[in-house]
């Protein structure tokens, strides 16, 4: 019996791949998607999600638009990595699908009341989740599991210490961490194991049908960006790793029970995930790359 999934996303390139995985994996029944500003502006994120759902035959899945900016600080975007629209060089057909009238916190609360025990997968900053906890505290008991792509335990990808999703809204992360929601954290280090070149990606997702081809087209912007910046064409599928953990925990090679705190200082450490005393958080250490690739092949080539 598939688990109800709600995806909270700042739909950029890797988010789009993760959403495609959830739509086509037997373990998940996607009952809704909430959007917010992150990689690109909220309006682009919402458009990307609506057009992606329509393009893949899932236009009936409701989309709820959320936060236009972080709780306190100004928005930081990542258009360099994801392109001006958020989907790199890919121009999906304009679907005309619109988000629901309800905003993301209201939509999330309604979906969790209807589907208690649902899995929520957070692929962007945690602003929507934090606001929803504030407005609808009952969701803390209704969420079955909150799987978060975020944090860096050794080296950040935006600053020396901070990963993008946590850096984008540290106060939101702090509020979520201080709630009693059962969280699984998939930090940047665990995602970096998914590093692939064009040939490895083609092998993993194939182009037997258009969703595999779409994944390769989506990643092309990142390959070109990495080649220009680092001299090597590679991609790291961060959100797809977090989604894989939510869909099938057997892709996890190692994990530990720990606790992280968010650095909220206005110093170079801001947004850093600081290991702390105590436990209660399921923190993923390493990915089983072979199992991850098998899951991609199962989803994209079967
Ligand atoms: O640091 C990687 C994360 O930031 C991913 O979720 C990516 O989509 C960006 O949001
Ligand atoms: Ca993301």
């Amino acid at each position: 019996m598939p688990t109800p999934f709600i995806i909270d996303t700042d739909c950029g390139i890797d988010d789009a791949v993760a959403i495609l995985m959830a739509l086509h994996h037997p373990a998940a029944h996607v009952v809704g998607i909430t959007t917010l500003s992150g990689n690109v502006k909220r309006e682009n994120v919402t458009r990307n999600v609506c057009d992606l759902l329509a393009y893949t035959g899932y236009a009936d899945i409701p989309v709820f638009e959320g936060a236009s900016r972080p709780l306190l600080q100004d928005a930081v975007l990542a258009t360099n990595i994801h392109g001006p629209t958020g989907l790199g060089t890919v121009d999906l057909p304009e679907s005309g699908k619109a988000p629901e009238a309800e905003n993301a916190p209201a939509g999330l609360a309604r979906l969790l009341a209807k589907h208690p025990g649902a899995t929520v997968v957070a692929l962007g900053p945690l602003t929507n989740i934090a606001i929803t906890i504030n407005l609808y505290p009952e969701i803390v008991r209704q969420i079955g599991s909150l799987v978060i792509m975020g944090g860096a335990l050794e080296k950040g990808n935006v600053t020396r210490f901070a990963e993008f999703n946590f850096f984008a809204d540290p106060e939101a992360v702090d509020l979520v961490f201080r709630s009693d929601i059962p969280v699984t954290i998939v930090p940047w280090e665990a995602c970096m194991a998914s590093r692939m070149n064009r040939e490895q990606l083609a092998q993993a997702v194939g182009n037997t049908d258009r969703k595999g081809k779409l994944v390769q087209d989506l990643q092309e912007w990142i390959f070109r960006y990495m080649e220009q910046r680092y001299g090597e064409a590679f991609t790291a599928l961060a959100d797809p790793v977090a989604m894989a953990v939510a869909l099938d925990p057997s892709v996890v090679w190692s994990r530990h029970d720990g606790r992280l705190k968010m650095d909220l200082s206005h110093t170079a450490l801001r947004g850093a995930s600081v290991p702390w005393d105590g436990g209660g958080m399921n923190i993923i250490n390493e990915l089983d790359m072979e199992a991850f690739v098998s899951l991609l092949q199962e989803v994209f080539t079967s």
Side-chain angles (χ1 to χ4, degrees):
M1 186 71 175
T3 302
F5 267 48
I6 303 164
I7 302 169
D8 187 54
T9 176
D10 62 338
C11 194
I13 290 171
D14 61 328
D15 303 66
V17 178
I19 291 168
L20 288 170
M21 290 166 66
L23 293 174
H24 298 96
H25 192 284
H29 170 215
V30 180
V31 295
I33 298 183
T34 51
T35 67
L36 79 164
S37 166
N39 287 318
V40 290
K41 288 191 178 138
R42 168 182 72 172
E43 291 67 24
N44 290 105
V45 173
T46 303
R47 174 61 27 238
N48 293 342
V49 173
C50 288
D51 290 349
L52 183 69
L53 289 174
Y55 182 74
T56 48
Y58 290 92
D60 59 320
I61 293 177
V63 176
F64 303 90
E65 189 165 69
S68 62
R69 52 161 298 144
L71 294 180
L72 294 178
Q73 70 185 35
D74 291 338
V76 282
L77 302 178
T79 45
N80 54 335
I81 303 273
H82 296 269
T85 67
L87 294 184
T89 57
V90 169
D91 263 332
L92 291 173
E94 278 214 25
S95 65
K97 175 175 168 65
E100 304 298 306
E102 286 165 295
N103 61 33
L108 197 52
R110 180 162 65 81
L111 287 171
L112 285 167
K114 186 176 176 189
H115 303 281
T119 293
V120 178
V121 185
L123 303 175
L126 295 183
T127 318
N128 281 343
I129 310 294
I131 294 171
T132 308
I133 292 171
N134 195 326
L135 293 175
Y136 306 94
E138 67 273 16
I139 71 155
V140 173
R141 292 185 313 282
Q142 292 166 334
I143 290 186
S145 167
L146 173 59
V147 180
I148 300 168
M149 190 280 130
L153 304 183
E154 285 150 29
K155 190 172 181 302
N157 61 7
V158 182
T159 69
R160 165 79 182 78
F161 303 102
E163 174 278 328
F164 178 83
N165 287 337
F166 283 13
F167 181 75
D169 194 345
E171 280 73 22
V173 179
D174 182 55
L175 196 153
V176 173
F177 279 7
R178 286 187 289 112
S179 77
D180 290 333
I181 292 177
V183 297
T184 290
I185 311 272
V186 188
W188 180 243
E189 287 79 11
C191 300
M192 277 305 279
S194 69
R195 189 177 161 130
M196 290 185 194
N197 60 29
R198 285 189 180 86
E199 293 69 37
Q200 289 163 321
L201 181 69
Q203 273 195 339
V205 302
N207 40 29
T208 46
D209 76 10
R210 64 179 186 167
K211 56 182 183 287
K213 174 88 175 53
L214 175 58
V215 169
Q216 293 183 67
D217 292 346
L218 283 165
Q219 291 296 330
E220 195 46 35
W221 177 280
I222 294 187
F223 282 129
R224 291 178 196 166
Y225 174 82
M226 295 301 181
E227 197 157 31
Q228 194 181 33
R229 182 156 176 196
Y230 301 106
E232 184 194 349
F234 69 93
T235 185
L237 299 167
D239 292 338
V241 169
M243 185 57 76
V245 171
L247 291 167
D248 179 359
S250 74
V251 301
V252 173
W253 182 260
S254 68
R255 39 87 54 204
H256 71 279
D257 181 76
R259 177 146 295 273
L260 298 177
K261 268 202 169 190
M262 187 59 10
D263 189 299
L264 302 177
S265 66
H266 291 274
T267 69
L269 284 168
R270 183 165 174 78
S273 335
V274 184
W276 210 259
D277 297 341
M281 291 180 175
N282 178 31
I283 301 172
I284 306 304
N285 303 330
E286 286 180 270
L287 175 74
D288 178 333
M289 186 58 179
E290 207 174 303
F292 176 65
V293 171
S294 300
L295 187 150
L296 292 177
Q297 287 169 336
E298 176 194 342
V299 165
F300 290 107
T301 61
S302 61

